[in-house]
Amino acid sequence: MILLLTGCINPNGMPFTALSNLEERKRQYINAIRYYLSNTNFQIVFCENSGTDISPLFQQGIASGRMEYLTFNGNMDKERGKGYGECEIIEYALKQSKLISSSHDQLIAKITGRLIVKNIYSIIKWHQLLFSKRTVFCAINSDISFPDSRLILAPISFFQIFLLSKERINDWKGYYFEHALRDTLIKENTYPYAPFFIMPHIEGISGSTGKSYNQYNHYTFSFAFRYVKYAFYLRRRFNIEYR
């Protein structure tokens, strides 16, 4: 499993972006990368699309082969919005990353790069143990119409198919990254879908709203049991409605 951290350090006027302060965004990316380097043993690809280079801060990880830093000048068509830019980042990483191209299991955990998923190790290990390697994991809302794109676990081949819908994404027209993800999940039914059966503990700030994400400090056994039960319900409902 490769952690693909997507980034845009300098949004430079990107629409629908509440968190636009360059130094604050840079600080959040640095903190997140350091967290994953220190608290997991996964290989990490950080790919960002504003041509900003903070790789000197991570030379030890890069030199050891644990981490790869990719940057390019994207977001040329800002009218399409952040979701289109996110697709460009994923596409660039799949084409240019040596770590991804040489990945043994051909699996990626795509994470919004400023966010810290505190329990990412447990999520990956348990879901790999219990489910098929072709399964696509992401959270989804209660009416199963809008997936959560902050964390997606999927085979590289699924991301490649998903990127075929990139040109349809346009935030101004109301067709977001998440809509394309949902439609790909529905269409590509050879890839089983599942929500997370362990709730991701996400820390960070939404780039769209500027609000902090909740921290889950009440993860009791009874809460975990109810969450698993709810995840089974969502998976069953998704399969009934779309598969």
Side-chain angles (χ1 to χ4, degrees):
M1 180 74 72
I2 303 286
L3 302 188
L4 172 57
L5 310 181
T6 58
C8 177
I9 295 174
N10 182 8
N12 193 27
M14 173 62 70
F16 306 109
T17 303
L19 182 61
S20 58
N21 182 275
L22 174 60
E23 292 305 314
E24 176 60 22
R25 292 178 68 91
K26 185 185 296 185
R27 183 188 69 81
Q28 292 179 19
Y29 284 118
I30 293 169
N31 288 345
I33 294 170
R34 285 175 173 165
Y35 177 86
Y36 294 117
L37 284 171
S38 299
N39 293 278
T40 78
N41 58 2
F42 300 113
Q43 290 184 308
I44 297 167
V45 175
F46 179 78
C47 186
E48 82 92 40
N49 66 349
S50 68
T52 306
D53 186 9
I54 56 173
S55 63
L57 297 172
F58 307 104
Q59 282 306 303
Q60 183 176 350
I62 294 170
S64 70
R66 169 87 192 282
M67 177 182 170
E68 189 174 18
Y69 190 101
L70 302 174
T71 184
F72 67 102
N73 291 309
N75 283 338
M76 296 304 178
D77 191 355
K78 286 187 172 61
E79 290 186 358
R80 288 181 173 270
K82 297 195 286 23
Y84 187 84
E86 181 84 347
C87 281
E88 287 185 320
I89 296 168
I90 297 171
E91 186 173 47
Y92 189 88
L94 295 190
K95 290 180 178 178
Q96 301 296 328
S97 169
K98 294 179 181 178
L99 290 181
I100 290 176
S101 65
S102 62
S103 168
H104 175 69
D105 61 12
Q106 295 289 292
L107 298 174
I108 289 177
K110 195 290 295 181
I111 306 173
T112 299
R114 290 179 300 97
L115 304 181
I116 295 174
V117 184
K118 301 287 286 187
N119 57 342
I120 187 64
Y121 184 84
S122 297
I123 288 172
I124 290 174
K125 289 305 180 183
W126 278 105
H127 287 81
Q128 280 188 315
L129 179 65
L130 297 173
F131 292 88
S132 158
K133 285 187 175 182
R134 288 182 64 83
T135 304
V136 179
F137 300 95
C138 61
I140 199 165
N141 65 347
S142 59
D143 67 359
I144 58 171
S145 64
F146 200 80
D148 186 336
S149 63
R150 294 176 297 174
L151 172 62
I152 306 168
L153 273 56
I156 292 172
S157 57
F158 176 83
F159 283 105
Q160 290 169 333
I161 294 170
F162 163 72
L163 288 171
L164 297 176
S165 61
K166 181 184 72 170
E167 297 304 322
R168 297 178 60 197
I169 296 173
N170 190 313
D171 290 2
W172 287 104
K173 294 181 178 180
Y175 191 80
Y176 305 136
F177 181 103
E178 292 81 4
H179 294 129
L181 176 59
R182 175 202 62 200
D183 292 346
T184 306
L185 284 167
I186 293 170
K187 180 181 178 182
E188 300 300 323
N189 58 16
T190 61
Y191 292 89
Y193 164 74
F196 295 113
F197 285 78
I198 299 174
M199 176 180 281
H201 294 193
I202 296 176
E203 291 187 0
I205 297 175
S206 167
S208 299
T209 67
K211 295 181 179 180
S212 296
Y213 291 116
N214 292 329
Q215 297 182 26
Y216 302 98
N217 298 317
H218 57 289
Y219 206 64
T220 62
F221 176 80
S222 61
F223 175 82
F225 178 78
R226 292 195 303 271
Y227 186 82
V228 169
K229 191 175 179 180
Y230 180 62
F232 272 112
Y233 161 77
L234 289 176
R235 188 185 191 203
R236 181 173 180 271
R237 185 175 175 187
F238 182 92
N239 288 334
I240 290 173
E241 185 153 340
Y242 296 133
R243 296 291 176 86

